[in-house]
Structure formats: C-alpha cells, structure tokens
Amino acid sequence: MSKPFTITTAISYPNGRPHIGHAYEVIATDAIARFQRMMGRDVFFQTGTDEHGLKMAQTARARGMEPRELADEMSSYFKAMNEGLNISHDRFIRTSEDDHHRASQAIWRAMEANGDLYLGRYEGWYSVRDEAFYDEKEIVEGEGGAKLSPQGTPVEWTVEESWFFRLSAYQDKLRALYESQPDFIQPDSRRNEIMRFVEGGLSDLSISRTSFDWGVRVPDAEGHVMYVWVDALTNYLTGCGYPDDAQRMARYWAEGGDITHVIGKDIVRFHAVYWPAFLMSAKLPLPRRIFGHGFLLNRGEKMSKSLGNVADPMELADRFGVDQLRYFLLSEVTFGNDGSYSAEAIVARSNSDLANSFGNLAQRTLSFIAKNLDGRLPEPTPQDVDSDLLRNIADACRAFQDAMQNLSPSVAIEAWMRAVFACNAYIDAQTPWALRKTDPARMEAVLATLYEAIASLAVMIQPVIPASATALLDQMGIDRDARSYDLIGSDFYASLRASGFILSPPKPLFPRLDLTEAEA
C-alpha cells in the first residue's frame, strides 16, 4: 500500500485579482495531484489565499473598506479561477478561518515551549510588498539612492517591539537537512541558492508586528500579531488537521510522509529555510520536498501593471479553451525554469499538438468506425506491426509516469506526443480507407489497434487535459472506474467488444484556433 500523497500550492496573496502566474502554479499542481490519484494514491491537494499582513490592510484602507471585506471579495476571485480552470483541490483554505488561527497559535506555543522565541526590538529593513525582512547585506541601491530588496521592491526602515525566532540556532540543522536529503529543495538551481544563503549566516527572525492588527493574534502578547509568514506557512498544517485531528495528521503530515510544496522561485527561502526551522522547533515532521518553479513571462517580458501586460487567466481560458491553456502551460514551459507565453504560441501549440495530431487522429479513426462499421467495434487479428504500436504506447506510458513522478510535466507530455506521432505514422502507413475495399479483415485489425491506442493515449493525458480526455473516453465507452494507468496494456478492448458497445458518430474535441487581427 503506497503512502498518502500531500501536495500544496503556495497560498495566493489576494490584494489583487489572480494573474496567469497564479493559474500556472495551480494548474501544474493539479496535474500532479490528478496523476497521483490515477496511480492509486490517497491524495490531499490544498490551495487557498493568504489574507493577513500590512499589504492587505493598506490596500483595504485605500479602498475605504475593512480588511475582512477585501479578503472576502478577493478570495472569491481565486475560488472562481480554480473552478473555471477545473482544479481538483480537496481544500481551499483561507488564513482568516478560525481553525487556521488555532493552528497558527498552536505552532507558536510549540516553538515557545522549545525555547526558540524571545521578546526584543526590531530595527531593520522591511518590504511591505514582499512582506519580508531583509538584512543590511541584502539591500541594494536603486535610482535616486532608493533602498531596494534583492527582488527590487522598496524597503523601509522599521523600528518596533517584536517577538523573535532563534533562526540562528538552526543553521547547522538546516545544512545537515540539505546534505542528507539532496532532493529536499528542487530544482538544483534553487537548492544551490538556498545553500549559499544559509552558509552566509542566519540572523534571528522578527516574527510579530505591533504597527497593524490585521493578522493572527500572538498568544498572551497584547498588541502583537504574527509576522505573516509564520501564519501563512502554517496553512499547510491546518489543512492536515493540526493541532486537533491527530488521525488526519498521521495520514497527511506524517514523519517520512510524501509531502510536496509547489511554489514560485521568489518564495523558496521562506519555505526552505524558515518553514523547516519552525517545524523542527515545534517538533513536527518536515515535508519531503520544496519545488520552486519559474516565472511566466509575457512575450519574454516580466509582467507588471505599469507595462499593462498582466494577463487574466480566465480571459485566456475563455479565448482559447481551458484544456488548451492547461496543455500549453504544461508542455511549453520546463517546470522549474522561466517560460514565455503569447497568443501566437498558445494557438500554434494547441493547433499542432491537440487539433492536428491527437484530435484529428481520434476524429478520423472513430468517424471511420461509426460510418463504415455502423459503430460496431472492429475485430482484432493483430500482426507484428499492430503489437509493436501498442508496445510503443505502453513504453510511452511508463516514460510519462516516470516524468510526472519527478515533477516534469513537459517531459511527460513529450513522451505522450511521441506516441501520438507513432499512431499517426501507423495510420498513414496502414491506410484503413484503402483496405476497406481490398482487405476488410485487415482494415478491422488496424482500426481495432487504433481504437485501443487512442483510448490509451486519452487515459495517459487525463491529468493535463482532464475535460477533453473525459469527453473522449466517454464517447469511446471506457468505464469511468477503469481509467487508470492499469488500463494501458490490459485486455479492456476485448471486454468492451464483448459488452456489445456501439460507437456513436464522434464530436470533435479540439476546434482549430485562429488569431484575431489584434493578436497577429
């Protein structure tokens, strides 16, 4: 019996509406969660919104509303995005929820009980935009002598009473963690970056604020709210039942458990340094891996409101199709690297891979069966070339699974596309339309092979384009309970024929996309 699998996105900061970067992260994580479910795993997939902090309070004040009102409004947009993009999360968490406040206060008390918290005075640089503190050595000069964080965001000198976490006490423990578990931080570029940061020395971390009150109250400390990252990171535990549901914790957040955080590369430090230190202090299990993906660029440029190139993911989904957008993002971008998108690129990839290669293969094969055999499933009398194709599909499926296990969806899709190309080469070489007159029995054998191959391809690609794959498998009569990777290479086709299933004329899955004049 395999271990349960816990996977999370970062929780999104909802001081603005979702952009394509939020969509990219949740789509990638969703594909991995769906894949693991198909592998028979007990999966817990969590996403949500990070609603506290000074930035939310300032945004709400600027709009003349309470922070809670702003959080309610903005969180609803993220929920709507997830629903629109067919995201299969098990929980959408909001850090303003009561159970999350209890979890955050519980981990605080556990760290305090371990002797790792002390009251002091914070004097240093703080970025409101990043909700992050920075050491003097990290500050860079901007135009006009402005002080900037390593991310290029403005920082301000802050002085206030604060509780501190003894992060410095965990420097050696963190280095030992990274050395004993080389895959704890992925990809390697992020691991190397964090190793250098920790080796440069860790300062104790300010973990409370008194200059605003929109946050989780620090236990027994009047006027203090938790630094947003203590509260935000704890959301992963909240969803797994901390601190009250020991049974759920044992299931989804166990020692040695399979727990993966998928996050943007700009917040790896918080997840790979602060978070494991907090967990060690609280004597709680650590996640298995932190994966820091890259940024999405608009035609090679970083997105910004000032440039007017921030894309609304739902506008893109409405324009091109949900599955087309999902497929493009997961196939075009090597997970872990930065990637670029444009209308031209989405149209080109969708038309080439989905409409022309896979969609056309399925449409012409199934239409041929519906028309020439009245929907009766063809009889297989396989030759070596037929068996070779099905072995090719099975090999591609193994490569697909290996890549998805390694969080490499673009590599998985490459394996799938090789199998699609093999099927197209096969149908062009076997010419069932010509065999219809010269050798009807051979025609049926070719069509039977293609039917099995197409069903296998649809099963394989379900995590990436779930709605389209489901629609195709429904048309083909494949039982919903049988749509796991165990189907590929099995005798499902014989059972389906024996059931007397009749194929109806198929509906096209992927209409060809065209650019508008403005996009061209």
Side-chain angles (χ1 to χ4, degrees):
M1 187 72 176
S2 59
K3 296 178 184 176
F5 181 75
T6 298
I7 188 165
T8 72
T9 67
I11 48 176
S12 301
Y13 206 73
N15 66 322
R17 292 188 181 224
H19 57 67
I20 189 64
H22 296 117
Y24 174 56
E25 180 169 297
V26 78
I27 286 170
T29 310
D30 177 68
I32 295 162
R34 286 177 181 273
F35 164 76
Q36 292 289 352
R37 291 189 194 106
M38 286 182 63
M39 295 294 289
R41 305 283 295 276
D42 174 11
V43 173
F44 175 61
F45 169 25
Q46 178 165 297
T47 186
T49 44
D50 172 14
E51 299 176 7
H52 294 135
L54 180 57
K55 190 162 45 175
M56 282 288 285
Q58 290 180 342
T59 302
R61 190 180 309 121
R63 291 186 54 185
M65 60 198 309
E66 293 297 317
R68 165 73 72 170
E69 291 179 86
L70 177 67
D72 289 346
E73 177 192 334
M74 290 298 173
S75 183
S76 71
Y77 297 133
F78 285 85
K79 286 183 177 179
M81 177 191 73
N82 288 349
E83 182 177 348
L85 295 174
N86 200 5
I87 304 304
S88 63
H89 56 276
D90 298 291
R91 177 160 182 185
F92 185 98
I93 192 167
R94 297 182 56 190
T95 56
S96 56
E97 296 170 7
D98 289 344
D99 63 344
H100 177 68
H101 282 237
R102 286 196 302 276
S104 299
Q105 290 174 339
I107 196 172
W108 181 285
R109 289 190 178 98
M111 294 189 294
E112 187 175 35
N114 202 46
D116 286 328
L117 306 187
Y118 63 91
L119 190 61
R121 180 180 175 84
Y122 179 77
E123 295 188 27
W125 297 106
Y126 186 75
S127 166
V128 175
R129 193 179 303 174
D130 297 344
E131 294 283 10
F133 301 101
Y134 293 102
D135 285 340
E136 185 73 42
K137 64 187 176 184
E138 298 179 273
I139 302 304
V140 296
E141 291 273 339
E143 290 185 12
K147 301 291 187 181
L148 302 175
S149 75
Q151 323 300 333
T153 56
V155 295
E156 55 190 45
W157 188 259
T158 301
V159 179
E160 62 183 295
E161 183 183 74
S162 176
W163 282 89
F164 285 80
F165 174 74
R166 298 185 195 278
L167 185 63
S168 57
Y170 287 86
Q171 180 169 332
D172 291 342
K173 293 177 182 177
L174 288 168
R175 290 179 63 182
L177 168 65
Y178 307 149
E179 288 166 6
S180 65
Q181 298 182 38
D183 62 349
F184 180 74
I185 307 169
Q186 296 179 20
D188 286 344
S189 57
R190 313 281 181 256
R191 179 176 185 271
N192 295 337
E193 173 189 320
I194 293 300
M195 291 281 285
R196 288 193 300 271
F197 175 75
V198 173
E199 287 166 359
L202 296 177
S203 303
D204 288 352
L205 183 66
S206 170
I207 59 167
S208 76
R209 305 296 304 275
T210 58
S211 55
F212 61 94
D213 62 1
W214 176 239
V216 178
R217 303 284 180 184
V218 172
D220 307 316
E222 186 69 29
H224 286 256
V225 296
M226 292 183 195
Y227 170 43
V228 68
W229 278 103
V230 177
D231 152 24
L233 290 162
T234 303
N235 93 87
Y236 306 127
L237 293 177
T238 307
C240 292
Y242 184 76
D244 303 319
D245 192 338
Q247 186 175 0
R248 184 170 177 81
M249 281 288 285
R251 185 173 176 182
Y252 293 121
W253 197 278
E255 193 71 47
D258 199 347
I259 304 160
T260 296
H261 297 316
V262 176
I263 57 170
K265 67 180 182 180
D266 55 331
I267 55 173
V268 170
R269 178 195 304 182
F270 304 102
H271 286 77
V273 179
Y274 302 166
W275 183 225
F278 294 162
L279 291 169
M280 290 176 188
S281 174
K283 298 183 173 15
L284 290 167
L286 302 184
R288 178 189 161 203
R289 59 187 167 186
I290 314 291
F291 192 98
H293 62 77
F295 292 145
L296 272 185
L297 309 175
N298 188 332
R299 299 177 186 272
E301 288 186 320
K302 192 169 182 178
M303 290 181 286
S304 74
K305 292 178 182 177
S306 60
L307 291 175
N309 65 351
V310 179
D312 181 335
M314 297 319 299
E315 288 181 4
L316 291 173
D318 290 342
R319 167 71 183 88
F320 302 111
V322 172
D323 277 356
Q324 287 86 339
L325 180 63
R326 289 175 62 108
Y327 183 87
F328 171 81
L329 292 174
L330 296 182
S331 60
E332 186 80 6
V333 183
T334 301
F335 204 47
N337 294 349
D338 290 349
S340 191
Y341 74 94
S342 66
E344 300 98 310
I346 296 171
V347 167
R349 173 75 72 163
S350 179
N351 285 345
S352 170
D353 291 8
L354 296 180
N356 295 348
S357 295
F358 182 54
N360 188 47
L361 169 71
Q363 185 66 20
R364 62 176 171 165
T365 300
L366 301 185
S367 295
F368 195 90
I369 293 171
K371 180 179 179 181
N372 292 283
L373 299 178
D374 296 323
R376 172 181 60 80
L377 296 193
E379 183 174 352
T381 49
Q383 297 181 3
D384 287 348
V385 66
D386 309 330
S387 301
D388 288 345
L389 178 67
L390 295 179
R391 273 195 295 272
N392 190 322
I393 302 286
D395 290 344
C397 184
R398 283 188 286 272
F400 185 98
Q401 292 176 66
D402 288 344
M404 290 298 288
Q405 294 280 20
N406 292 324
L407 308 187
S408 299
S410 65
V411 176
I413 292 170
E414 286 174 8
W416 179 76
M417 275 307 303
R418 287 195 297 273
V420 172
F421 291 150
C423 288
N424 279 304
Y426 170 87
I427 194 173
D428 289 342
Q430 298 301 314
T431 61
W433 48 89
L435 292 170
R436 181 168 62 90
K437 294 181 180 178
T438 61
D439 192 344
R442 178 61 192 151
M443 176 197 74
E444 290 208 27
V446 169
L447 293 172
T449 302
L450 286 167
Y451 201 96
E452 183 170 345
I454 291 165
S456 297
L457 289 169
V459 165
M460 200 188 310
I461 202 65
Q462 283 178 105
V464 178
I465 50 170
S468 301
T470 295
L472 178 56
L473 291 165
D474 284 349
Q475 290 183 45
M476 297 181 73
I478 307 301
D479 190 282
R480 291 205 169 208
D481 293 335
R483 296 175 189 180
S484 74
Y485 294 111
D486 291 339
L487 174 135
I488 299 171
S490 73
D491 62 354
F492 77 91
Y493 182 73
S495 301
L496 188 60
R497 281 194 78 236
S499 74
F501 174 75
I502 298 297
L503 177 69
S504 300
K507 299 173 183 176
L509 289 173
F510 306 106
R512 278 190 58 81
L513 301 176
D514 294 306
L515 292 170
T516 64
E517 287 187 15
E519 293 166 340

